[in-house]
Amino acid sequence: LYATPSQLQNLGEDLSPGRFHWISLTGEGCPQSLWPRLQSLSAQGGRCLNALGATETGVVANQVLNLNAPWRPFEGIPAAGKTVDLVDDQANHLTTRHAIGRLRILAAALLEGRLLVDAAGQWSLAPLPMDQGLMVHLSQDLVRWNAAGGMELLGRSDALLKRHGQWIDATPLQRLLEQQAGVHRCQILAEADGNAAWLQTDTPTVAWLQS
């Protein structure tokens, strides 16, 4: 079974329970609210593939989850030979608990560069930067350190978010929220249950969000 989490939530009773040995998700991460639905569709020993949703890093080692096990947050685990850390938009290292930043990967073997096209339609290869002999890739994946010291993948930092299979430009909403008093930074995250805003603010509560 191959579908987005949103599609599976909307199918209702159209799918017979206990049929599928593999459920492959696409486009979005799997929320806790969907897990019982996936379990009901799973045959004995069923597995869920790509439960983390869209990711570009190539360092998430465990993309296959046991559908017979309880739901748990999905963590990014560095693959062998790769080092990862958490940085802000200026590539400054972040270690504070609950801080959300972008995932940076260092390794001897990553992609050699990015293919870029200019206004004239000409393609060129922009090499990755190097750090102490290692290739460095700053991904668009958003992560944070959880209470257990693991790295939790939250979503993507792209301005374009995918919702019910449709692309949405989150830039206007992000700019609007960042213009509010006391807000230093805003990140819009696409989740299967809806889009969520993460705010870095001066105060623990933001009353204007209720208006």
Side-chain angles (χ1 to χ4, degrees):
L1 177 60
Y2 180 76
T4 68
S6 300
Q7 287 172 331
L8 291 177
Q9 287 176 319
N10 294 332
L11 281 174
E13 302 301 321
D14 291 343
L15 292 175
S16 301
R19 291 180 51 196
F20 299 98
H21 295 278
W22 282 96
I23 298 177
S24 179
L25 302 179
T26 181
E28 307 159 359
C30 178
Q32 182 175 3
S33 60
L34 182 62
W35 197 245
R37 173 63 171 155
L38 296 183
Q39 288 182 312
S40 71
L41 299 173
S42 170
Q44 184 66 30
R47 296 289 187 269
C48 179
L49 181 63
N50 293 332
L52 288 168
T55 180
E56 66 169 327
T57 64
V59 300
V60 179
N62 186 14
Q63 284 272 42
V64 178
L65 297 179
N66 180 6
L67 282 165
N68 299 125
W71 184 91
R72 60 178 176 79
F74 307 121
E75 296 181 4
I77 303 170
K82 295 181 175 66
T83 301
V84 300
D85 66 349
L86 177 62
V87 298
D88 62 16
D89 295 332
Q90 288 73 45
N92 298 312
H93 185 64
L94 298 175
T95 58
T96 307
R97 182 179 171 184
H98 300 313
I100 295 178
R102 292 168 66 184
L103 188 62
R104 180 171 60 181
I105 307 100
L106 295 87
L110 289 172
L111 64 166
E112 294 184 0
R114 290 182 175 274
L115 279 175
L116 304 177
V117 61
D118 59 23
Q122 299 297 314
W123 290 89
S124 61
L125 181 67
L128 284 185
M130 302 288 291
D131 185 356
Q132 301 180 13
L134 298 176
M135 294 181 178
V136 181
H137 174 52
L138 183 59
S139 82
Q140 296 292 333
D141 289 327
L142 293 172
V143 295
R144 68 181 171 194
W145 298 109
N146 61 24
M151 187 173 280
E152 183 180 353
L153 277 79
L154 301 176
R156 301 278 293 172
S157 62
D158 299 2
L160 291 177
L161 305 177
K162 204 167 191 180
R163 177 69 175 151
H164 296 301
Q166 300 293 323
W167 289 105
I168 301 171
D169 186 359
T171 304
L173 177 59
Q174 181 177 347
R175 289 177 178 172
L176 176 63
L177 293 175
E178 288 177 338
Q179 291 171 0
Q180 305 304 311
V183 177
H184 301 287
R185 183 175 168 225
C186 168
Q187 184 64 59
I188 308 297
L189 304 177
E191 301 179 353
D193 292 332
N195 295 330
W198 176 85
L199 304 175
Q200 181 181 353
T201 68
D202 290 329
T203 57
T205 58
V206 185
W208 48 261
L209 279 179
Q210 301 175 3
S211 62

